[in-house]
């Protein structure tokens, strides 16, 4: 500690500050040293076989609230759906890429197998599973861009745009499924 004080005391900045004349309009600046205060380590020993919850009860720490303290709202469901549709699209793209790299035949071969199987309900279900995440994520992303401009940020606006997004996403998904 003494070495640090000597270095600071002999520094060029401290000498300049001490030698500089102070004008009446300038605040007086002085060079000072600082000392570090040593803090005594906590010497209390933890209780044996005490788990996290027991320790928090003993110390009377509050439990952090989680989803159980919130009233469920439609906007929460829409936000969660936006995240899951993004994950679904990402998984679908990775699945296609992995399939293209590992499967022995090309895409037209597997598409021909699917058409030859004559299972229209499965094809329709797969189309919906591909179209809905894409359409919902797209339309809700546009909603977020509108929010970034400052529009519809009231509670009423958020609720109404949520229902509009849901209706538009279903309509777009049905349209894409019909192609």
């Amino acid at each position: 500690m003494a070495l640090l004080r000597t270095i600071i005391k002999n520094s060029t900045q401290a000498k300049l500050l001490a030698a500089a004349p102070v004008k009446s309009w300038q605040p007086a600046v002085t060079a000072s040293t600082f000392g570090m205060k040593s803090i005594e380590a906590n010497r209390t020993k933890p209780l044996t076989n005490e788990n996290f919850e027991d320790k928090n009860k003993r110390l009377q720490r509050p439990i952090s609230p989680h989803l159980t303290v919130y009233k469920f709202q439609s906007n929460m469901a829409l936000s969660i759906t936006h995240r899951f549709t993004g994950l679904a699209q990402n998984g679908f793209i990775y699945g296609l890429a992995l399939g293209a790299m590992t499967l022995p035949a090309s895409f037209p071969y597997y598409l021909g197998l699917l058409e030859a199987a004559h299972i229209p309900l499965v094809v329709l279900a797969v189309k919906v599973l591909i179209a809905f995440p894409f359409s919902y994520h797209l339309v809700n992303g546009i909603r977020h861009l509108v929010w970034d401009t400052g529009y519809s940020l009231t509670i009423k606006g958020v609720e109404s745009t949520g229902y509009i997004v849901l209706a538009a996403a279903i309509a777009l998904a049905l349209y894409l499924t019909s192609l």
Side-chain angles (χ1 to χ4, degrees):
M1 192 54 95
L3 178 64
L4 182 62
R5 284 191 192 118
T6 306
I7 292 171
I8 292 174
K9 197 181 288 183
N10 294 333
S11 69
T12 312
Q13 183 181 13
K15 289 178 183 175
L16 288 175
L17 287 173
V22 178
K23 301 194 180 352
S24 62
W25 53 271
Q26 286 180 322
V29 178
T30 59
S32 65
T33 61
F34 61 90
M36 295 182 73
K37 190 184 207 183
S38 63
I39 298 174
E40 197 60 37
N42 186 1
R43 302 283 181 204
T44 60
K45 301 224 182 220
L47 298 174
T48 57
N49 299 330
E50 184 179 33
N51 64 19
F52 180 75
E53 288 83 13
D54 292 338
K55 178 182 173 187
N56 285 339
K57 285 179 186 175
R58 179 177 56 85
L59 296 174
Q60 297 178 347
R61 292 178 178 164
I63 298 174
S64 298
H66 191 52
L67 295 176
T68 57
V69 300
Y70 299 108
K71 179 182 147 196
F72 187 77
Q73 298 173 350
S74 63
N75 200 35
M76 292 169 67
L78 295 174
S79 175
I80 293 167
T81 306
H82 184 74
R83 293 164 197 241
F84 282 139
T85 56
L87 288 171
Q89 289 181 76
N90 196 1
F92 181 70
I93 293 295
Y94 277 115
L96 280 179
L98 193 62
M101 290 187 300
T102 58
L103 292 174
S106 64
F107 177 73
Y109 171 76
Y110 294 108
L111 187 60
L113 284 177
L114 186 63
E115 289 174 351
H118 299 294
I119 44 176
L121 290 178
V122 173
V123 172
L124 183 68
V126 169
K127 281 184 170 183
V128 169
L129 288 175
I130 293 171
F132 182 74
F134 172 78
S135 62
Y136 182 82
H137 204 75
L138 173 72
V139 176
N140 202 38
I142 293 170
R143 175 187 183 206
H144 280 270
L145 288 175
V146 169
W147 283 352
D148 289 343
T149 63
Y151 292 107
S152 299
L153 290 177
T154 62
I155 293 175
K156 184 180 178 184
V158 168
E159 288 286 325
S160 64
T161 57
Y163 293 122
I164 291 169
V165 161
L166 199 55
I170 290 171
L172 182 59
L174 291 175
Y175 173 73
L176 292 174
T177 302
S178 69
L179 295 178

